[in-house]
Amino acid sequence: MPVHLSDAHWETLHPPLLEAGTYAVDPEPCGPPWRPWEEIGAREAAARGIFAPSGNLADGPAGTVLLAPGDMRGTGLIAERTEGYCRGINGSGGPNLACLGCGLPVGSRIDDCGHWQVVRLLERAVVRLPSPPERPVLSWAELFADGGPEHRLSGFHDIPAGVALAHVVVAAGGGPVEVAPGPVGELLGPSLAALLPSGAGAMRLDLAGPGLGEPAAELVLVPVHPQTGEMWRPSGGAVAVPLEAALWAESAFPPHRTRLPAVGGLPTGVERDDPLPPHPPTRFRPSGKAFRHTLARTPAVREPWLRKIHDLMP
């Protein structure tokens, strides 16, 4: 499952969540009806894999199959179920796609602002058939041969960063963390300083993975393979903390920028980037919603110290 699904930017038109020709299966219930946490209770929520209050929870079908909208064929919208907020449809009224052959509802298309563009097919409507050979699974060396996978969702760095922040806090066990300077410090340093205590005995956090080796650190951010979902495993005794592969690649192999002047004029048809793009108006912050979403699905959140962090995270 793409970690980006743990959050979305409010009133923003999102790109497709998945690349064309790929799919994912969501094990959690999705869509209406919605039930308040007080009605579901801690026992039933824990059976779903949720261990901290998360507001209203979806009580729709589980096991929906996610696809890129452009990969759909032979379906059409159900006109009376095209509810949305302002610039699209969000599936809030139930399945809004029907089979053009038989007319039965098969799933929902979602593309409203503040939502990832995706199609969710009902599990009962899907039959897996033999297909051409799937894409070969790339080795770690092949995956990062040219600097890593392209970050299609580069405007949403805060979401995988929020997921990684939650995993770091859990791995630290409530103790202090010393963040390595550089990309890791910029990504998670201020948030960890605000969430965890400081002092002696801090665990060091650094990047590790293909092409980097294993630094002298107790906690290491490692990439998650985008095809298999498996983490890169360090051979030493460090605790591996998962980080979305494209964001890991950007942190491990930042683009090289030189301040030396170029020799000669600009090529024909190339315009000078003047003025330069403005700096971001605010400091980068990992997504608080993705952070809480991830913690809520970690059994350790039932410990008082971690539950307090979950509840206080803005």
Side-chain angles (χ1 to χ4, degrees):
M1 284 290 293
V3 297
H4 290 81
L5 200 58
S6 59
D7 192 11
H9 291 181
W10 178 244
E11 292 193 337
T12 299
L13 288 175
H14 290 59
L17 178 67
L18 299 172
E19 294 184 18
T22 67
Y23 73 94
V25 180
D26 189 351
E28 295 192 17
C30 177
W34 298 86
R35 296 170 61 195
W37 174 269
E38 295 75 17
E39 177 185 326
I40 292 178
R43 184 185 298 272
E44 181 181 341
R48 295 186 178 192
I50 303 175
F51 305 97
S54 300
N56 293 338
L57 295 179
D59 206 32
T64 52
V65 180
L66 279 62
L67 296 173
D71 282 347
M72 290 302 300
R73 300 291 186 275
T75 60
L77 286 171
I78 302 173
E80 59 270 22
R81 292 185 179 177
T82 53
E83 298 89 346
Y85 172 66
C86 65
R87 288 190 278 183
I89 50 180
N90 58 21
S92 60
N96 59 28
L97 285 179
C99 171
L100 294 179
C102 66
L104 292 177
V106 295
S108 294
R109 173 167 179 152
I110 300 170
D111 57 17
D112 201 358
C113 62
H115 295 266
W116 291 103
Q117 289 190 42
V118 71
V119 166
R120 287 181 174 269
L121 293 177
L122 301 172
E123 184 181 27
R124 65 176 183 269
V126 176
V127 177
R128 182 163 185 159
L129 300 175
S131 64
E134 296 187 4
R135 299 179 184 179
V137 176
L138 301 178
S139 67
W140 288 112
E142 293 170 331
L143 185 63
F144 295 105
D146 298 320
E150 180 184 357
H151 206 308
R152 299 185 306 108
L153 311 179
S154 59
F156 304 89
H157 282 321
D158 58 316
I159 299 172
V163 173
L165 177 64
H167 288 302
V168 171
V169 169
V170 172
V177 172
E178 175 193 353
V179 184
V184 180
E186 296 173 4
L187 193 68
L188 301 179
S191 297
L192 286 171
L195 294 173
L196 296 176
S198 59
M203 303 175 72
R204 184 171 176 82
L205 174 68
D206 206 344
L207 289 168
L212 287 184
E214 300 181 33
E218 292 82 10
L219 302 174
V220 289
L221 289 168
V222 300
V224 177
H225 200 291
Q227 291 175 288
T228 66
E230 296 179 357
M231 287 194 302
W232 184 87
R233 294 291 180 181
S235 58
V239 176
V241 179
L243 180 61
E244 190 256 350
L247 181 54
W248 182 91
E250 283 202 8
S251 301
F253 310 111
H256 176 69
R257 297 183 177 91
T258 178
R259 297 186 179 183
L260 296 176
V263 177
L266 293 172
T268 303
V270 176
E271 297 182 1
R272 184 178 299 277
D273 191 5
D274 186 16
L276 293 174
H279 289 288
T282 59
R283 174 183 289 183
F284 175 82
R285 294 181 61 183
S287 163
K289 183 177 179 181
F291 176 86
R292 293 190 303 273
H293 179 277
T294 305
L295 277 191
R297 286 153 180 78
T298 305
V301 77
R302 291 178 289 196
E303 299 179 18
W305 71 269
L306 192 53
R307 174 63 182 276
K308 181 178 181 181
I309 291 177
H310 170 276
D311 294 345
L312 291 177
M313 182 68 173

